[in-house]
Amino acid sequence: MSDRHWSWSRGGGREVELGVIRTHVEVDLMSAVSRPQAVSRPRGGVSGLGPAAGGRGLGGARNGGPPGRLEHVAVAVRELEAARGFYREALGAAVGPALPLPAHGVTAAFVELGGCRLELLEPLGPDSPIAGFLRRNPGGGLHHICLEVSDLSSALRQLRARGVRTLSPDPRPGAHGRAVIFLHPKDCHGVLVELEQL
Ligand SMILES: C[C@@H](C(=O)O)C(=O)SCCNC(=O)CCNC(=O)[C@H](O)C(C)(C)COP(=O)(O)OP(=O)(O)OC[C@H]1O[C@@H](n2cnc3c(N)ncnc32)[C@H](O)[C@@H]1OP(=O)(O)O
């Protein structure tokens, strides 16, 4: 498996701290990002992968805590203002302001959903990493999920050892100012996965 790194638009950008909202949804990170051999779970031993096994997940709690939680689900949209209006007016959701994130090639807005949230993403600049997605999906659609991990470096070591490709060489500050990195969707069962340092 190639260890090729992918990149997305770079440049000087402003990162915006939105505050931290935790969800009650617990996601088994190993099932979300693993190769077939990685999903076999020893049961009951300390080498197990999830809380049920009393073991450790990818960068998760070392004493049986959750290996990762769903921080947000991202939706690529053509017109951010229209999407913000839809969630605010049609659904009555609390919708945050539009946040230009030039370093990521997107303008983002977060929709609070009482525990989890949606991240609405509109392309920003000619090299936006979501431009290709919107060409293939002109009406927009689900773009990625973001999972929290408590030890991103350790998670990356384990993932790379399994041949999972990252889309940049190193983590970088995400929308909340915390370190994030994306995993190639082809290595994650067709889902673009963002990992965020807890
Ligand atoms: C602010 C920050 C934050 O939350 O903190 C963000 O969200 S930034 C959010 C925006 N930033 C990112 O998404 C950064 C990471 N993303 C990227 O680097 C890019 O979007 C890629 C994932 C490499 C895709 O780029 P692009 O579409 O131009 O490449 P490509 O056409 O070669 O696609 C390669 C293959 O991946 C598939 N593919 C592309 N995007 C996908 C997606 N979102 N979910 C699932 N599969 C996807 C394509 O269909 C294609 O499959 P086939 O080969 O079968 O046709």
Side-chain angles (χ1 to χ4, degrees):
M1 172 62 61
S2 153
D3 196 24
R4 177 181 176 188
H5 292 300
W6 300 61
S7 59
W8 64 86
S9 123
R10 292 175 190 279
R14 171 167 80 87
E15 304 296 348
V16 180
E17 177 61 56
L18 288 180
V20 177
I21 300 209
R22 300 278 177 261
T23 80
H24 68 281
V25 179
E26 294 184 357
V27 175
D28 184 332
L29 184 57
M30 288 307 296
S31 4
V33 298
S34 59
R35 296 289 172 118
Q37 68 269 23
V39 297
S40 85
R41 294 169 163 245
R43 291 185 187 277
V46 289
S47 60
L49 299 172
R56 42 195 286 184
L58 278 187
R62 296 296 189 260
N63 298 309
R69 293 189 290 179
L70 184 62
E71 208 286 333
H72 64 257
V73 174
V75 178
V77 302
R78 281 210 169 277
E79 295 180 19
L80 186 61
E81 282 315 301
R84 288 181 68 241
F86 171 76
Y87 283 100
R88 187 178 57 241
E89 286 148 29
L91 289 174
V95 179
L99 308 168
L101 300 168
H104 289 277
V106 296
T107 302
F110 286 89
V111 180
E112 306 298 342
L113 296 175
C116 190
R117 48 189 171 169
L118 294 183
E119 180 185 40
L120 305 175
L121 295 174
E122 181 186 70
L124 178 64
D127 300 325
S128 175
I130 66 172
F133 180 90
L134 283 170
R135 269 193 299 277
R136 286 187 296 272
N137 305 277
L142 294 179
H143 185 260
H144 70 260
I145 62 171
C146 177
L147 304 176
E148 293 176 336
V149 293
S150 64
D151 185 344
L152 184 54
S153 301
S154 162
L156 283 178
R157 270 195 303 279
Q158 294 180 60
L159 286 159
R160 286 175 170 151
R162 292 173 188 276
V164 176
R165 292 165 290 176
T166 56
L167 293 169
S168 62
D170 299 302
R172 57 201 303 217
H176 315 118
R178 292 186 275 165
V180 302
I181 197 164
F182 286 84
L183 307 180
H184 200 293
K186 295 294 181 193
D187 298 342
C188 303
H189 305 273
V191 176
L192 178 59
V193 176
E194 177 183 12
L195 298 182
E196 180 172 285
Q197 174 65 55
L198 186 59

